[in-house]
Structures are given as structure tokens and as C-alpha cells.
């Protein structure tokens, strides 16, 4: 650079590049604005193996991460795990990334920057359960060794607005313990371990007729009241409360002639 000379940046982390150049420029200039960009990145070769959709060798940018390489390989295959994607460097396990952290929670903190020669291994899929019914996203999910029925429901985005949050149904589809639907309370779901082949159904409250004592009563009030119209009340509401809700009687009202 003019009046500054050559600045050695080999081996400097990209995050530190701006500060490294700024220190050298500050020896000759004051009150300046510095913009640093990398015009072209050197590629690194990594190997995606295991149960990836398209395993093989991939050349990616030097700032690429584990997730970038996995997505370049098409992600896990039908038999691949989303919960265990291993990064090995020099024969040593560097990271075991859970792709659910990114896809379902938006957490990319466990991602790692790649180096030349890294090996990424997509493990086979673990135990899977189905979540159906009144949830925000019905799907089949892969569960960890110690995860519960409640964890599986959270992976489905939690229960929907119309769900019965007090209970749910669980079916052992493989028939290892029972071949009938079993009712599970919300507290039991937080403690019950999710088993391979479980079908978890969250019940809905929508479309269920309530007892007469719990249903709202539709009342139409007209004539000499401030706000004639239709109103809903709980059963047993007094007529005086209905009139009050409609704004009360007008000055022309003759309540003794009410029908």
C-alpha cells in the first residue's frame, strides 16, 4: 500500500483481518475509514461420508462450515441421522453436530469452520416417532436416547391453539408392549421416554359439543334500549343484566309492557 508498504496477513483469521490492516494504516494516517473485503477465497477439499444424500469429495470456500458442506451434499439421506453429524480432523472427533438445533431451534452455535482434508460423517438415523393431531407441524421425528414424549411434541412446534393440552394418546405401532392407544397426561408426557415406533396423537378441542350448562345463550334485545342487538350470555344470567349490557332503558321505555 502507498506510504505503508506490504502488510503480512498470511495465517490471520478473517475476523481479525480488518484490525490487522487498520493497525498498519494508522501508523501513517489519521481520521480514515477502512473497508476490507476478500476478492477470492481459497478452496478447501472436504469429504462427506456415511448416510448423506450425495456422499463424496467437495471443494468449498475456506470460510465454509460443517453445515455448508452437509447442505452441498444434499443433506442426510432417508436413512441418515439429523441428530449426529460428526466432523473428524486428523482422525480425531472434533464435533458431533445436531442438525435439529439449526432446523428447529435456529441455533448454529455448534457449527465448525472447515479445514482442508476434514471428514464429515453422517450417522444412520436413530429411533423415530410420529407426531400427529393438533400440533403445528405433523411429521416423523428422530429422538435421542433420553428424550421424552414432550420433547417430540416440541419438535412438532408444540400443540396448536385448539389442542387439548391436558392429555394425549400414544400408540406403540410396533406392538412391543401394547397394541392399543394409551392415554397420557401432560405431566406423564414430560417423564415418559419416547420409544422407537411410537405414534403420538395430540387431541383437539375443536368441534366438541359442550353440555348445555356450559354453552353460551344467544339473546336478542330490541326496542327501547340504548344498544339493541344480539348478545351472548352465560346460562342463568338475569334479565336485568341483559338490559344493562344493552346500555339500559331509554327515557321512552315502558318496562311494564316488555315481552
Amino acid at each position: 500500500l502507498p506510504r505503508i508498504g506490504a502488510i503480512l496477513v498470511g495465517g490471520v483469521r478473517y475476523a481479525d483481518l480488518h484490525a490487522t490492516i487498520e493497525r498498519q494504516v494508522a501508523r501513517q494516517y489519521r481520521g480514515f475509514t477502512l473497508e476490507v473485503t476478500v476478492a477470492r477465497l481459497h478452496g478447501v477439499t472436504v469429504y462427506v461420508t456415511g448416510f448423506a444424500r450425495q456422499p463424496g469429495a467437495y471443494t468449498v470456500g475456506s470460510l465454509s462450515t460443517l453445515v455448508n458442506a452437509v447442505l452441498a451434499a444434499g443433506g442426510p439421506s432417508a436413512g441418515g441421522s439429523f441428530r449426529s453429524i460428526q466432523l473428524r480432523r486428523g482422525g480425531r472427533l472434533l464435533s458431533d453436530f445436531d442438525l435439529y438445533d439449526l432446523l428447529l431451534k435456529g441455533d448454529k452455535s455448534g457449527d465448525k469452520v472447515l479445514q482442508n482434508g476434514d471428514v464429515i460423517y453422517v450417522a444412520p438415523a436413530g429411533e423415530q416417532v410420529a407426531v400427529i393431531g393438533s400440533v403445528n407441524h405433523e411429521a416423523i421425528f428422530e429422538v435421542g436416547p433420553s428424550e421424552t414424549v414432550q420433547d417430540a411434541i416440541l419438535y412438532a412446534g408444540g400443540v396448536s391453539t385448539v389442542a387439548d393440552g391436558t392429555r394425549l394418546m400414544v400408540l406403540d405401532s410396533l406392538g412391543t408392549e401394547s397394541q392399543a392407544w394409551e392415554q397420557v397426561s401432560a405431566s406423564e408426557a414430560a417423564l415418559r421416554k419416547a420409544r422407537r415406533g411410537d405414534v403420538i396423537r395430540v387431541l383437539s378441542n375443536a368441534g366438541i359439543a359442550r353440555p348445555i350448562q356450559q354453552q353460551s345463550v344467544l339473546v336478542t334485545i330490541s326496542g327501547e334500549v340504548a344498544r339493541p342487538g344480539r348478545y351472548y350470555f352465560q346460562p342463568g344470567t338475569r334479565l336485568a343484566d341483559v338490559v344493562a349490557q344493552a346500555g339500559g332503558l331509554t327515557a321512552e321505555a315502558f318496562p311494564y309492557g316488555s315481552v
Side-chain angles (χ1 to χ4, degrees):
L1 299 178
R3 296 183 57 187
I4 297 171
I7 302 175
L8 181 63
V9 295
V12 175
R13 293 175 61 250
Y14 178 73
D16 300 329
L17 182 60
H18 186 282
T20 300
I21 298 177
E22 186 178 48
R23 283 195 298 269
Q24 297 298 322
V25 175
R27 299 173 63 179
Q28 296 292 335
Y29 296 97
R30 295 291 182 269
F32 60 88
T33 299
L34 178 67
E35 294 184 7
V36 179
T37 58
V38 177
R40 184 171 58 89
L41 292 173
H42 179 69
V44 297
T45 300
V46 297
Y47 304 90
V48 183
T49 64
F51 290 80
R53 191 177 298 274
Q54 296 174 335
Y58 290 85
T59 300
V60 295
S62 57
L63 299 180
S64 297
T65 65
L66 168 67
V67 170
N68 298 136
V70 171
L71 295 181
S77 65
S81 173
F82 281 75
R83 310 301 304 273
S84 180
I85 300 177
Q86 302 172 6
L87 173 62
R88 297 182 180 273
R89 182 173 298 161
R92 181 171 59 92
L93 179 62
L94 192 67
S95 174
D96 193 353
F97 185 69
D98 186 347
L99 202 55
Y100 273 16
D101 287 342
L102 173 61
L103 298 178
L104 301 180
K105 303 176 185 177
D107 181 6
K108 198 170 176 283
S109 59
D111 200 8
K112 299 291 183 183
V113 177
L114 299 174
Q115 293 184 11
N116 196 55
D118 281 352
V119 176
I120 299 170
Y121 173 72
V122 180
E127 297 186 352
Q128 296 175 325
V129 301
V131 184
I132 60 175
S134 290
V135 292
N136 290 308
H137 179 57
E138 293 182 311
I140 295 174
F141 296 94
E142 186 180 348
V143 293
S146 60
E147 292 186 326
T148 65
V149 170
Q150 181 63 31
D151 292 325
I153 294 175
L154 292 177
Y155 290 145
V159 299
S160 67
T161 302
V162 298
D164 181 354
T166 62
R167 60 194 177 97
L168 50 89
M169 307 298 291
V170 178
L171 173 66
D172 181 6
S173 66
L174 302 180
T176 55
E177 296 189 12
S178 172
Q179 295 183 347
W181 287 95
E182 178 183 356
Q183 182 171 301
V184 178
S185 67
S187 58
E188 291 171 338
L191 300 174
R192 175 169 174 159
K193 181 181 178 296
R195 300 185 300 251
R196 181 171 65 94
D198 277 352
V199 179
I200 303 166
R201 183 180 186 89
V202 178
L203 302 176
S204 173
N205 275 325
I208 297 177
R210 296 296 176 186
I212 295 297
Q213 293 79 4
Q214 298 180 16
Q215 294 184 18
S216 297
V217 177
L218 175 62
V219 177
T220 301
I221 182 168
S222 58
E224 294 298 326
V225 291
R227 294 190 299 273
R230 294 179 174 87
Y231 297 87
Y232 280 96
F233 297 94
Q234 292 300 314
T237 301
R238 297 183 309 154
L239 181 58
D241 296 329
V242 174
V243 174
Q245 183 68 30
L249 301 174
T250 69
E252 303 297 326
F254 183 64
Y256 304 105
S258 299
V259 178

